[in-house]
Amino acid sequence: MEKLADKLHVGDSSSSSDSDNDERPRPSAPPAEVKQPSFSDSAATAAADAKAKVFRLFGREQPIHKALGGGKPADVFLWRNRNISAGVLGGATAIWIIFELLGYHLLTFLCHGLIFSVGVLFLWSNASSFINKSPPRIPEVIIPEDLVVNIALSTRYEINRAFANLRQIALGRDIKKFLMVIAAFWLLSVLGSSCNFLTLVYIVFVVLHTVPVLYEKYEDQIDSYGEKGWVEVKKQYAVFDEKVLSKVPRGPAKDKKH
């Protein structure tokens, strides 16, 4: 009986020690360290926010490449490939010299070009059997129907949108747009009186190949001067609006659909 009592006493002491171990609070894991943003990350974020708030001409929010439509035309205007851009600009310059300086007419130029091309190909095809050379490979040119339809639809959409904008401006609901359109038409009339249509198109073409690439190179400096000029324009427009435009009667307001 004494041996049994000793065994029971030992068993109770071991079980109580186990329960004490279970009830004893375990040390908690150390708290995870919160990663604080480094100085370089904070500086980069602040620089990005400041850059986003910088004034851009015409309210532009995209890079100049995307503002020009992206793709190959934008690459040509921004001289991403110097050989292609120089070739396009050189071709436009040659066309302007031929029609403007040399006095060629478009129909005459096309006819002379076709006469020369067809004559050379005809002689080459007939002389190939005598000189033991292969005849010229003339590619078959077929204009796809989808391309013509897409161009026609795009042109129709742009013309209709222009007519709709002119109608809204003519109704007298936006004095600011009215003045801008009148100034643009007046500027075009001045340019048209000083040069012909071909020269005007060539000037626009040269501007598209020079101004965007220069603006991309000196973007910050140009935007800084543009911001100062825009502030001055807004001041002058506010004075003009107060003294003149506010006294001009406007058309009926457009009904809003709820």
Side-chain angles (χ1 to χ4, degrees):
M1 293 296 291
E2 290 179 358
K3 292 181 179 180
L4 290 174
D6 293 337
K7 290 182 179 180
L8 291 173
H9 179 69
V10 171
D12 292 340
S13 62
S14 62
S15 61
S16 62
S17 63
D18 293 340
S19 61
D20 292 340
N21 291 334
D22 294 338
E23 292 177 358
R24 185 179 301 172
R26 297 179 180 179
S28 60
E33 296 182 358
V34 179
K35 186 177 181 181
Q36 299 293 335
S38 62
F39 178 76
S40 59
D41 296 338
S42 302
T45 304
D49 295 339
K51 188 175 181 180
K53 297 179 181 178
V54 173
F55 174 83
R56 298 300 181 190
L57 288 178
F58 310 109
R60 179 177 57 84
E61 298 180 355
Q62 297 178 343
I64 186 63
H65 187 271
K66 290 186 177 180
L68 292 175
K72 294 182 179 180
D75 293 340
V76 173
F77 292 145
L78 295 176
W79 293 74
R80 293 288 190 265
N81 191 326
R82 296 181 179 274
N83 295 329
I84 296 178
S85 300
V88 172
L89 185 59
T93 304
I95 292 175
W96 179 77
I97 291 174
I98 289 173
F99 290 110
E100 185 65 22
L101 298 183
L102 300 181
Y104 251 98
H105 296 285
L106 179 61
L107 183 60
T108 304
F109 178 76
L110 291 177
C111 291
H112 287 177
L114 290 174
I115 290 171
F116 178 77
S117 300
V118 173
V120 169
L121 292 175
F122 179 80
L123 294 176
W124 187 1
S125 299
N126 288 276
S128 60
S129 58
F130 298 99
I131 59 178
N132 296 325
K133 288 187 176 181
S134 60
R137 296 180 180 179
I138 304 175
E140 184 178 1
V141 179
I142 299 176
I143 300 177
E145 182 179 358
D146 295 339
L147 177 62
V148 178
V149 172
N150 291 333
I151 293 175
L153 291 176
S154 300
T155 305
R156 171 181 170 274
Y157 173 76
E158 295 296 335
I159 292 175
N160 288 336
R161 189 175 67 170
F163 283 155
N165 291 332
L166 289 176
R167 179 179 178 275
Q168 294 296 328
I169 293 171
L171 291 176
R173 295 169 182 166
D174 195 337
I175 302 296
K176 187 176 180 180
K177 286 185 178 181
F178 171 76
L179 295 177
M180 292 175 61
V181 169
I182 294 299
F185 284 156
W186 177 78
L187 181 61
L188 287 176
S189 66
V190 172
L191 293 175
S193 62
S194 60
C195 59
N196 56 19
F197 181 73
L198 180 61
T199 303
L200 181 61
V201 172
Y202 177 68
I203 292 173
V204 173
F205 198 80
V206 173
V207 168
L208 288 175
H209 278 77
T210 53
V211 173
V213 64
L214 292 176
Y215 175 70
E216 187 182 35
K217 187 176 182 180
Y218 305 102
E219 182 176 2
D220 295 334
Q221 294 87 339
I222 295 175
D223 286 338
S224 177
Y225 288 110
E227 183 179 8
K228 296 178 182 178
W230 181 245
V231 171
E232 187 64 27
V233 168
K234 290 177 69 175
K235 291 181 181 178
Q236 298 299 327
Y237 177 78
V239 175
F240 182 72
D241 186 20
E242 181 180 359
K243 294 183 177 180
V244 180
L245 298 182
S246 60
K247 301 178 182 179
V248 177
R250 302 189 179 186
K254 188 175 180 181
D255 296 336
K256 295 182 179 180
K257 296 181 179 180
H258 298 283

